[in-house]
Amino acid sequence: MANKSIDHAFTTRSLTSAASDPTYAGALSFMRRKYTKMLKGADAVVWGIPFDAAVSNRPGARFGPQAIRRASAILDNDPQYPFNRDLFEAMAVIDYGDCLLDYGNHQKTPATIEREATKILASGAFLMSMGGDHFVTWPLLKAHAAKHGPLALVQFDAHQDTWFDDGKRIDHGSFVGRAVRDGVIDPTRSIQVGIRTHAPEDCGIRILYGHEVEDMTAAQIASTILEHVGDGACYLTFDIDCLDPAFAPGTGTPVAGGPSSARMLSVLQKLGGLDIKGADIVEVAPAYDHADITAIAGAAVAMQYLGLLAERRVRR
């Protein structure tokens, strides 16, 4: 056992060291990354936002960050697939823990998330966030756009989230429309993938509906995204209900007819040409899932984000 670690998230002395904790034991940070609030030296930050008061159907996504961290334990030892390398050999990644939110005062939530995200981004690190329901993407987009300007939004989702609101609602179904109206995202370069519902307006955003995705290969889907977004700054958001409920039953608003986790992970792998400034994985609600199926998919999506970032660093 001389070469084995335990509780690597606390005991490691290096931000780039690989972990070798048993998959069934040890502190459950995301992929065993060091738990710390110290941002110095971090290339990427993993952050949980346990908020689900904006859901329109089933609550429970506040437990998403916990579940994704737990599911990620199996990803931390061997070279990460499909990148075939230790993603953390030359990329310092920390787990920043969770955002502290007042469960009794939801009106303070957006500003709290935006303020903390702004602090993390000021360090120069890439921010990968774990929700929480999809409302959390709204303050995250504001923080990223304040630094990088209006962003192209690449949204994997069953829902458009473009329903109108008054700018004050805490609602996971309207943040995209609000982001367009407020100039936070550029709708002409934004794209939504896997949509299987209809909203009153599309806000000028390109849509790949679920039935279209079903008829396309992963390479075709990725090519469409790359061509539409171009080389400008973008933000990736992955609502786990983009996947068919067979692959992600643990979510608040499941919609039948979606793609498999294999296909969407393959699409993500092919998006290395995008200038990704930030990313999130949201709407994992583990209580509706008996075997961590959804959390495993969510952890794989998050790992893909970090894999794209690591590949980009290698290409420099």
Side-chain angles (χ1 to χ4, degrees):
M1 300 296 287
N3 294 324
K4 287 287 186 180
S5 62
I6 192 69
D7 294 325
H8 182 272
F10 297 119
T11 61
T12 183
R13 295 177 180 271
S14 172
L15 297 185
T16 55
S17 59
S20 58
D21 293 27
T23 55
Y24 53 83
L28 290 172
S29 63
F30 183 79
M31 292 182 71
R32 311 290 188 175
R33 294 306 88 203
K34 183 176 179 64
Y35 261 132
T36 179
K37 296 292 186 183
M38 300 297 292
L39 294 165
K40 185 177 180 180
D43 298 312
V45 173
V46 179
W47 186 41
I49 310 176
F51 177 80
D52 65 3
V55 297
S56 54
N57 192 25
R58 305 188 303 194
R62 68 182 63 185
F63 298 105
Q66 285 182 355
I68 294 170
R69 286 186 175 103
R70 182 172 65 248
S72 76
I74 202 167
L75 301 173
D76 76 305
N77 258 310
D78 301 326
Q80 279 76 39
Y81 176 85
F83 303 99
N84 196 25
R85 62 163 47 94
D86 175 5
L87 300 183
F88 311 115
E89 182 178 7
M91 183 174 70
V93 180
I94 65 169
D95 189 324
Y96 195 72
D98 288 344
C99 184
L100 178 60
L101 299 168
D102 183 353
Y103 67 88
N105 193 340
H106 299 313
Q107 292 301 323
K108 289 187 176 181
T109 293
T112 301
I113 297 170
E114 183 180 354
R115 182 170 57 249
E116 193 75 8
T118 298
K119 174 185 174 182
I120 296 170
L121 292 173
S123 73
F126 181 92
L127 176 57
M128 195 279 287
S129 305
M130 304 180 294
D133 67 46
H134 218 158
F135 176 78
V136 306
T137 301
W138 165 240
L140 289 171
L141 282 172
K142 289 180 68 179
H144 284 80
K147 180 171 183 176
H148 302 291
L151 301 155
L153 181 67
V154 180
Q155 178 183 354
F156 296 86
D157 207 324
H159 310 88
Q160 294 172 246
D161 298 332
T162 55
W163 291 86
F164 181 78
D165 69 25
D166 59 3
K168 299 177 182 179
R169 285 177 58 80
I170 306 295
D171 185 345
H172 71 160
S174 61
F175 79 93
V176 175
R178 189 187 298 186
V180 171
R181 290 191 298 274
D182 287 6
V184 174
I185 64 173
D186 177 0
T188 65
R189 294 194 303 114
S190 297
I191 186 168
Q192 298 174 320
V193 180
I195 302 300
R196 303 188 296 284
T197 54
H198 293 293
E201 57 180 319
D202 60 23
C203 295
I205 296 172
R206 173 74 185 276
I207 297 175
L208 286 181
Y209 287 102
H211 66 275
E212 295 176 293
V213 168
E214 184 63 23
D215 292 334
M216 300 170 73
T217 66
Q220 289 170 330
I221 298 168
S223 178
T224 301
I225 295 170
L226 290 166
E227 181 178 350
H228 187 73
V229 174
D231 57 6
C234 69
Y235 184 94
L236 268 60
T237 182
F238 199 112
D239 186 325
I240 205 68
D241 71 28
C242 174
L243 304 180
D244 189 87
F247 304 94
T251 192
T253 315
V255 182
S260 70
S261 52
R263 181 179 297 188
M264 290 298 98
L265 290 171
S266 183
V267 171
L268 287 174
Q269 184 196 355
K270 296 172 174 61
L271 297 183
L274 294 178
D275 183 13
I276 305 168
K277 299 301 187 183
D280 64 50
I281 170 70
V282 297
E283 297 283 358
V284 172
Y288 307 107
D289 180 346
H290 79 287
D292 281 343
I293 298 168
T294 313
I296 290 168
V301 168
M303 186 271 287
Q304 288 278 343
Y305 289 154
L306 295 181
L308 291 176
L309 189 62
E311 297 256 287
R312 188 166 69 191
R313 292 177 62 84
V314 169
R315 291 196 301 269
R316 288 176 178 172

